Amino acid sequence: MELVRAKDYTDMSRKAANIISAQVILHPDTILGLATGDTPKGTYAQLAEWQKKGDCSFARCSSYNLDEYVGLSDDHPQSYHYFMRKYFFDLVDIDIANTHVPDGAADDPAAACEEYDRMVAAAGYPDLQLLGIGRNGHIGFNEPDDHFARGTHVVDLTESTIEANSRLFDSIDDVPRQAMSMGIQTIMLARRILVLASGADKAQAVHDMVFGLITPKVPASILQLHPNCTVIADEAACSLC
Ligand code: GLP
């Protein structure tokens, strides 16, 4: 695992966008693993700008998102389907038919998770997986636990995640209590992983991910075992490293 120190959010976003654009320039058929949250928004905006200028293209890429809330339809403004269209898919030349996000509105979420996992496996897993990190060290929606989850599964969100994500909802009561998330094994099967972190509230999680014990209590710590994982963190997020 390598740690790249960025000056600030803009610098982190540009560094990440540089790596992703190099990937799609070298390998136009790239399978991208994508993440939501505030952290990757600047990276998506930078990529959209470069794509408009003709510097890179996503026309031949496909994508698989990490997670989605259970119970939100894909047109719900807080759904990750909606987020991805707003901040990336609608801004670049990717074919929307080649983008995939777990179906939070599925009648049987557990079966939908299994189906999603089969689809990601059949595609051959992402060439490059983009990740953010939760304040408690979660990746995707893999919350601290006493074991590492394998495939895509239904997760009960922790109070800390519900509270952290409530800023995007009208009230904390509107935040779904469950989500669907790629498991740790699915994430670890990506050929390259890029983790982004920004801000002082991520400093402890970044420290524990990079230097801490490998433990399911800090799900991101398992990334230390990945053969090609780069963390790009800004000064505030690196302040304990
Ligand atoms: C959510 C998402 C994660 C994301 C994390 C951090 O819980 N499921 O994929 O990495 O929050 O979000 P943010 O980037 O907004 O801090």
Side-chain angles (χ1 to χ4, degrees):
M1 172 182 268
E2 57 188 355
L3 174 62
V4 175
R5 292 164 193 266
K7 245 188 352 256
D8 52 22
Y9 181 80
T10 307
D11 187 33
M12 177 203 74
S13 303
R14 283 180 71 89
K15 282 178 163 54
N18 267 301
I19 291 171
I20 297 168
S21 68
Q23 167 73 32
V24 302
I25 289 167
L26 288 169
H27 305 287
D29 298 326
T30 288
I31 303 173
L32 292 165
L34 297 176
T36 54
D38 283 337
T39 314
K41 282 182 185 170
T43 303
Y44 291 144
Q46 182 64 81
L47 287 168
E49 193 185 314
W50 288 340
Q51 191 268 303
K52 289 270 169 321
K53 281 168 55 188
D55 290 351
C56 62
S57 170
F58 300 91
R60 286 166 53 191
C61 292
S62 54
S63 71
Y64 292 86
N65 260 77
L66 282 169
D67 47 13
E68 178 59 287
Y69 288 112
V70 168
L72 298 193
S73 60
D74 60 8
D75 57 355
H76 189 290
Q78 268 73 45
S79 73
Y80 288 169
H81 279 83
Y82 190 95
F83 174 103
M84 288 310 299
R85 287 196 303 271
K86 178 167 174 190
Y87 292 103
F88 193 53
F89 298 154
D90 286 353
L91 310 182
V92 296
D93 59 349
I94 198 164
D95 181 348
I96 197 79
N98 294 333
T99 69
H100 308 84
V101 181
D103 179 9
D107 291 337
D108 183 344
C113 285
E114 278 177 33
E115 179 51 34
Y116 195 74
D117 232 32
R118 274 195 292 275
M119 197 169 56
V120 180
Y125 297 99
D127 296 300
L128 190 157
Q129 174 69 56
L130 185 62
L131 294 177
I133 181 168
R135 290 188 276 186
N136 60 6
H138 75 239
I139 47 177
F141 268 129
N142 291 281
E143 297 279 29
D145 205 340
D146 53 12
H147 67 284
F148 290 110
R150 284 166 175 264
T152 307
H153 59 297
V154 176
V155 187
D156 292 325
L157 300 178
T158 62
E159 281 310 314
S160 115
T161 298
I162 292 168
E163 194 251 295
N165 292 357
S166 65
R167 68 188 191 279
L168 305 167
F169 290 80
D170 290 340
S171 93
I172 195 161
D173 296 332
D174 293 337
V175 186
R177 268 36 190 176
Q178 285 190 315
M180 296 157 84
S181 179
M182 275 189 193
I184 295 293
Q185 188 180 51
T186 323
I187 293 170
M188 289 292 279
L189 284 166
R191 280 171 283 292
R192 178 164 201 190
I193 296 183
L194 190 56
V195 190
L196 306 185
S198 170
D201 61 339
K202 301 293 176 70
Q204 190 66 51
V206 169
H207 170 273
D208 295 351
M209 162 175 64
V210 181
F211 298 110
L213 279 178
I214 298 171
T215 163
K217 302 284 179 217
V218 182
S221 63
I222 195 141
L223 299 172
Q224 291 174 35
L225 298 178
H226 192 278
N228 193 355
C229 177
T230 304
V231 178
I232 307 181
D234 67 11
E235 238 167 57
C238 277
S239 57
L240 298 177
C241 294

